[in-house]
Amino acid sequence: MELIRSSGRKLSTFSVNDVGFFEGAEKLLEMWFEYPSEVGGAGGLEGGASDLDLRVIQRSKWEELLDLVHCKILSTCSNDYMTAYLLSESSMFVSSNRFILKTCGTTTLLHAVKPLMTLVTDAFPGAVVMDIFYSHRNFQKPHLQSHPHHSFEEEASYLDKIFKDGAAYALGRLNGDTWYLYTMENVERPLSVPDQTLEILMTELDPRLMSLFSLEGFSSEEELTRRVGLQDLMPGAIVDAKIFDPCGYSLNAIVQGDTYFTVHVTPQVECSYVSFETNLEQSSYSALINRVIDIFQPGRCTLTLFASKSAKCGVSFTAFEDHVIEGYRCNDRQFSSFVMYNLTFAHYSKHEPHSPGGRPNGVLVNGTSS
């Protein structure tokens, strides 16, 4: 890689023997709320009672919520539509009626679900959950997780006690890379605005590249973000980034309105992992996906695209259908249709020399193999 050659540095690679194992795969929670026409109270608010906006909830309340998850707020950035919180373990995004919490390591994210609902209804009496999405890829060492995160079955059972219409899914290969999802089956108040979320989850990364995401690699977060090309993914974004000691990297970026992207890097050779997530509206994600893959060049990657019925990209399967990542083979592609959303899961791996390429081994559409 040109960046590695041009850095002029001989950097240490990071091993779990030196810095310990870290579970990079994040637990991701997204919840949408609907407010009543009038609000009778203002408990925990920084603004007036008429402010129907999650962002007016006091920071101290968010800190109490995150204590249950075992992570801390490190810094924030914001615009008129969203506040992005960079956490000790990943990210939190708060906009008017959408809450996103993404946490890695052995955090206990699901411990925040019921307290979050209480926090919102205390602030806005009569507020209700419009929809919930909870997802993650399979953990490398699930036995290190705490209750209720030892298994997805345990997580789904935990959420079933909170939501009466929950539905749990597993996509991918049960003996390989698997992606789990929990959502609501019957949505009484469907979301009317266009909504889409793209995730790229990358493993088997070049140790030389990963060594740059450290205090040895660059003198500042700004230099690292610029040199590796993340600053150019969406020009003009408000960026908040952190290099961890001795290694690791997180980035939150607010692009425009409530559009965001976030990147998290776990550099250890034995458990290297990078995630990219955005809700950027696009008719095609091909160019963006290829730019991200070109930066990190993973050995394997999982892509998921959620799209509402009014999303700009249309049906998510179509957005991936003709998409080919140069130098990668599509192993699996699966499509799921929900009440108000559709979802496409795809898994790619780098071509081995002389290996056949292009077509996936199996494409599942509504559970039917083609």
Side-chain angles (χ1 to χ4, degrees):
M1 174 182 284
E2 181 60 33
L3 178 61
I4 298 172
R5 291 194 297 269
S6 65
S7 67
R9 300 179 176 94
K10 183 176 177 60
L11 302 176
S12 304
T13 57
F14 295 96
S15 166
V16 296
N17 294 326
D18 301 320
V19 297
F21 172 82
F22 189 80
E23 188 71 68
E26 301 99 344
K27 311 166 184 82
L28 175 60
L29 174 70
E30 180 172 326
M31 294 181 68
W32 292 79
F33 294 91
E34 182 181 58
Y35 306 119
S37 55
E38 294 182 359
V39 177
L45 299 185
E46 290 183 340
S50 61
D51 293 329
L52 300 178
D53 192 318
L54 294 176
R55 292 171 298 160
V56 299
I57 295 176
Q58 295 170 358
R59 172 167 167 156
S60 61
K61 298 292 183 180
W62 296 126
E63 291 172 338
E64 291 173 8
L65 186 74
L66 293 172
D67 283 343
L68 302 173
V69 182
H70 300 106
C71 60
K72 302 291 184 182
I73 296 172
L74 301 180
S75 58
T76 66
C77 63
S78 64
N79 65 3
D80 291 338
Y81 300 89
M82 169 183 283
T83 299
Y85 296 82
L86 197 66
L87 306 180
S88 55
E89 283 82 11
S90 300
S91 301
M92 182 171 76
F93 297 90
V94 181
S95 51
S96 61
N97 66 332
R98 182 186 62 199
F99 173 87
I100 298 171
L101 181 59
K102 187 183 187 96
T103 65
C104 54
T106 55
T107 50
T108 51
L109 184 148
L110 291 184
H111 287 173
V113 175
K114 286 189 72 174
L116 171 65
M117 296 166 65
T118 300
L119 176 62
V120 174
T121 54
D122 284 349
F124 311 107
V128 296
V129 176
M130 294 175 66
D131 217 336
I132 175 176
F133 305 94
Y134 173 71
S135 63
H136 62 81
R137 62 157 283 151
N138 51 311
F139 299 129
Q140 293 189 48
K141 295 189 176 183
H143 64 280
L144 296 180
Q145 298 292 320
S146 299
H147 174 76
H149 298 288
H150 293 117
S151 69
F152 184 63
E153 291 79 9
E154 184 181 48
E155 293 173 320
S157 176
Y158 185 92
L159 288 168
D160 279 341
K161 294 179 174 65
I162 303 173
F163 302 101
K164 63 179 181 179
D165 293 322
Y169 302 87
L171 286 81
R173 302 186 184 187
L174 296 180
N175 61 345
D177 289 330
T178 313
W179 187 80
Y180 300 105
L181 169 70
Y182 186 99
T183 188
M184 293 171 68
E185 183 177 15
N186 298 311
V187 182
E188 297 178 0
R189 299 168 175 84
L191 191 68
S192 59
V193 298
D195 183 45
Q196 58 288 306
T197 301
L198 170 71
E199 276 195 288
I200 307 174
L201 311 177
M202 296 165 271
T203 57
E204 296 181 359
L205 295 126
D206 188 331
R208 296 171 300 166
L209 173 63
M210 291 294 95
S211 68
L212 298 176
F213 293 89
S214 67
L215 294 174
E216 277 188 54
F218 289 99
S219 59
S220 69
E221 287 84 0
E222 292 78 9
E223 184 188 9
L224 171 57
T225 302
R226 178 179 57 82
R227 289 287 303 278
V228 300
L230 292 171
Q231 186 76 56
D232 298 327
L233 282 178
M234 301 180 197
I238 303 169
V239 173
D240 182 20
K242 170 72 173 177
I243 301 173
F244 292 90
D245 184 11
C247 63
Y249 173 84
S250 288
L251 175 148
N252 286 343
I254 301 176
V255 184
Q256 188 175 10
D258 66 349
T259 299
Y260 69 91
F261 76 91
T262 184
V263 176
H264 301 281
V265 178
T266 299
Q268 290 92 313
V269 174
E270 298 88 344
C271 54
S272 62
Y273 174 84
V274 175
S275 69
F276 170 87
E277 176 190 342
T278 186
N279 66 338
L280 179 72
E281 287 190 54
Q282 297 276 273
S283 56
S284 169
Y285 288 95
S286 177
L288 177 60
I289 291 169
N290 275 281
R291 288 201 301 272
V292 173
I293 295 298
D294 186 57
I295 290 172
F296 293 106
Q297 300 182 24
R300 295 183 298 160
C301 60
T302 294
L303 278 64
T304 64
L305 178 60
F306 253 112
S308 66
K309 291 184 176 180
S310 56
K312 185 176 181 179
C313 63
V315 178
S316 61
F317 189 78
T318 304
F320 281 170
E321 192 169 22
D322 297 322
H323 173 64
V324 176
I325 305 175
E326 184 177 353
Y328 286 77
R329 170 187 172 85
C330 183
N331 301 306
D332 300 287
R333 189 166 65 241
Q334 296 171 258
F335 177 79
S336 299
S337 181
F338 306 102
V339 176
M340 294 304 298
Y341 282 83
N342 58 82
L343 163 69
T344 297
F345 164 100
H347 182 266
Y348 292 83
S349 59
K350 269 188 177 177
H351 284 312
E352 295 295 333
H354 311 298
S355 69
R359 297 183 61 186
N361 292 334
V363 176
L364 293 182
V365 181
N366 291 333
T368 303
S369 181
S370 60

